[in-house]
Amino acid sequence: MIFENTLAFAQNLDLQDPLAKYKNEFIFPQHQGKDVIYFTGNSLGLQPKRTKQFIDDVMNDWANMAVEGHFYAEKPWWDYHERFAAPLSKIVGAKPSEVTVMNTLTVNLHLMMVSFYRPTKSRYKIICEEKAFPSDQYMFQSHVHAHGLDPKEVIVEVKKREGEHTLRLEDILQTITNVGDELALVLIGGVNYYTGQVFDIEKITKAGHAAGAKVGWDLAHAAGNIEMNLHDWQVDFACWCSYKYMNSGPGNASGCFIHEKHHADKDLPRFAGWWGHNKERRFKMEPNFDPVQGADGWQISNLPILSLAPYLAAITIFDEVGMEKIIEKRNIITAYLDFILRTINTEVNGSFEIITPSNPSERASQISVFLHGEGRPLFDYLMTNGVITDWREPNVIRLAPVPLYCSFEDMYHFGQILKKGIQRN
Ligand SMILES: *Cc1c(COP(=O)(O)O)cnc(C)c1O
């Protein structure tokens, strides 16, 4: 498609957008009486209007039934989490039995490490990406320490090449080959949080398995953003948070995928709790743990229903729309934002640089921009002009044109404000 950087062109794209009506499903912070232009759905998604009702329902059931709500609420609490399996499995490309909701992201990564990072004398290394999200780095280090090993000898980071902003697939695959027989686990973010680079989950998983390792994924920036087939790709495990692209609310519950091939193995080490115990016998209070066959077998505690309610509300939207349509719009709106950025950049003499891959197969709903001129003050200028972006040291702003609630007109107005901001000095 040939784009134009004009209001009329942007408005015409909105007219043709089958998802345009979903903007009205979300609540926007206000700036001078108007909705802000919201680019930080990769950090905290907006609140869907339908969410409040889901929370109110739980509050009402609690008020009216108290303990009886566990079994007699309209959506009983004792198996409330099971309502997520079917819709979430469609979002990540899994079987319902492979998906569950529990805890928070880093906690679930810890639980998965207990089951799937089993170092031996000869096979103990972990491959991850350079500058992984800090929580993931701390998580790796703490497991390595817990096994009495030295992180310097265990953790192998795949690095960017000199002068490049993103990782090359060939370098990841080569590192896997090089570590070879010593490789115990590959664990990478499916979409890099800083650059927005999308990794080839299928190829990397295959390579990890060929080396005899387990392969897991941190899907914080991938879930609800990219198409995945975790089951077919034979991914061993994956975890994601729900408050970014999935709009479940601040700090909310995490989703977890564990491939079917691991379900029957009751001897797989895991940290157990009563909610992972045989469903029919859970309330018999037996002494010996008998895990549910499926991802639910990794559950620990009875679930925080008030936290699951907004997550459930949010995924009803995904269920209505479907990932296919979301991805279709994502591709166009990201390309349009990319076009607007490049157009503005030529008008301001190249004062910034896009560090997200321009190849559509390597990017999703994020464009990261490295500012060559002023950084923080420009970010502040955008903020005070109703554009919410995300600031990352040393000089990067991240922009997520989330397909469910960003419009093409938003992209156009953003471009105008950005240009003014750069030219104001
Ligand atoms: C957002 C994010 C996290 C956050 O972890 P929490 O446990 O939910 O606080 C972890 N890893 C990555 C890659 C992220 O992008």
Side-chain angles (χ1 to χ4, degrees):
M1 192 185 301
I2 314 261
F3 292 130
E4 287 171 30
N5 184 23
T6 64
L7 181 57
F9 190 86
Q11 286 172 333
N12 194 37
L13 285 177
D14 282 327
L15 279 177
Q16 294 169 28
D17 170 18
L19 299 196
K21 59 177 188 279
Y22 277 90
K23 196 177 185 54
N24 191 38
E25 288 275 342
F26 292 86
I27 304 172
F28 286 76
Q30 297 295 296
H31 173 76
Q32 296 178 346
K34 286 204 324 219
D35 292 353
V36 296
I37 298 174
Y38 196 72
F39 277 120
T40 41
N42 56 351
S43 188
L44 181 68
L46 290 177
Q47 183 182 134
K49 288 179 181 167
R50 64 180 74 177
T51 296
K52 199 159 182 299
Q53 188 60 53
F54 279 67
I55 299 172
D56 286 349
D57 289 347
V58 178
M59 293 300 280
N60 291 336
D61 287 338
W62 179 23
N64 296 329
M65 292 184 215
V67 72
E68 297 278 277
H70 282 298
F71 294 104
Y72 301 111
E74 198 200 317
K75 300 185 183 82
W77 305 329
W78 83 284
D79 61 358
Y80 196 96
H81 60 287
E82 294 181 9
R83 291 174 174 74
F84 289 80
L88 272 181
S89 66
K90 283 190 248 165
I91 296 174
V92 299
K95 295 189 175 182
S97 65
E98 294 174 315
V99 171
T100 196
V101 169
M102 58 187 181
N103 314 305
T104 45
L105 171 54
T106 310
V107 173
N108 283 341
L109 286 172
H110 276 296
L111 296 179
M112 293 301 102
M113 290 290 282
V114 168
S115 293
F116 297 106
Y117 178 57
R118 310 299 309 163
T120 65
K121 265 209 155 39
S122 59
R123 193 183 275 283
Y124 56 92
K125 290 194 176 171
I126 299 171
I127 288 181
C128 64
E129 71 211 285
E130 178 183 35
K131 292 204 180 134
F133 193 86
S135 198
D136 299 30
Q137 296 186 44
Y138 311 148
M139 179 275 297
F140 287 133
Q141 289 160 15
S142 61
H143 278 271
V144 172
H145 280 305
H147 284 287
L149 300 169
D150 178 359
K152 283 201 288 300
E153 284 171 20
V154 170
I155 300 172
V156 180
E157 293 186 354
V158 185
K159 299 204 187 304
K160 293 183 264 292
R161 295 192 189 184
E162 189 71 31
E164 296 186 6
H165 293 298
T166 51
L167 290 174
R168 292 198 191 191
L169 175 63
E170 62 200 274
D171 291 350
I172 299 174
L173 300 179
Q174 189 60 52
T175 308
I176 290 171
T177 307
N178 292 350
V179 177
D181 290 345
E182 292 176 344
L183 184 60
L185 175 72
V186 179
L187 207 176
I188 300 178
V191 177
N192 182 270
Y193 79 99
Y194 191 81
T195 62
Q197 180 179 19
V198 177
F199 293 108
D200 191 327
I201 295 177
E202 184 176 18
K203 283 210 178 100
I204 294 168
T205 301
K206 207 174 216 177
H209 287 160
K214 296 281 189 296
V215 183
W217 292 88
D218 179 337
L219 302 178
H221 283 261
N225 180 20
I226 65 171
E227 191 194 359
M228 292 184 282
N229 289 298
L230 298 181
H231 175 84
D232 290 347
W233 295 343
Q234 297 290 319
V235 164
D236 291 291
F237 67 89
C239 311
W240 56 92
C241 51
S242 55
Y243 47 81
K244 291 174 179 167
Y245 291 100
M246 292 217 263
N247 316 311
S248 74
N252 213 338
S254 160
C256 191
F257 164 91
I258 298 139
H259 198 282
E260 184 176 60
K261 64 192 167 189
H262 299 299
H263 292 181
D265 185 0
K266 293 190 179 186
D267 296 328
L268 205 60
R270 70 181 99 189
F271 286 169
W274 70 322
W275 235 248
H277 186 70
N278 182 317
K279 202 175 150 187
E280 278 67 47
R281 310 184 64 83
R282 185 171 303 151
F283 299 106
K284 297 200 187 298
M285 304 310 200
E286 299 161 329
N288 295 319
F289 180 63
D290 174 25
V292 176
Q293 268 213 31
D296 282 342
W298 274 262
Q299 287 279 355
I300 296 181
S301 295
N302 85 96
L303 286 120
I305 304 302
L306 282 167
S307 142
L308 293 197
Y311 190 3
L312 192 58
I315 59 170
T316 62
I317 297 179
F318 281 84
D319 218 35
E320 266 169 46
V321 180
M323 281 310 290
E324 209 173 305
K325 282 220 184 76
I326 291 175
I327 287 165
E328 241 168 66
K329 174 167 176 190
R330 183 205 72 192
N331 289 341
I332 305 176
I333 197 166
T334 306
Y336 191 51
L337 174 61
D338 183 88
F339 164 79
I340 285 180
L341 283 166
R342 289 176 199 279
T343 306
I344 302 291
N345 205 23
T346 57
E347 294 169 9
V348 296
N349 301 319
S351 84
F352 57 82
E353 180 184 353
I354 293 173
I355 62 172
T356 303
S358 53
N359 176 356
S361 72
E362 274 193 287
R363 74 175 180 205
S365 193
Q366 177 177 324
I367 295 186
S368 299
V369 174
F370 187 92
L371 305 164
H372 291 306
E374 63 170 16
R376 189 83 209 196
L378 181 62
F379 164 79
D380 292 338
Y381 176 87
L382 294 172
M383 274 301 223
T384 53
N385 284 279
V387 182
I388 317 267
T389 67
D390 171 277
W391 172 258
R392 295 283 139 166
E393 296 294 338
N395 232 22
V396 167
I397 55 172
R398 300 186 306 166
L399 305 160
V402 174
L404 277 176
Y405 49 71
C406 289
S407 67
F408 293 92
E409 193 175 331
D410 286 342
M411 302 305 113
Y412 170 76
H413 289 307
F414 160 70
Q416 297 303 303
I417 296 168
L418 176 70
K419 186 169 148 185
K420 250 194 213 151
I422 295 172
Q423 289 178 336
R424 79 191 187 287
N425 295 325

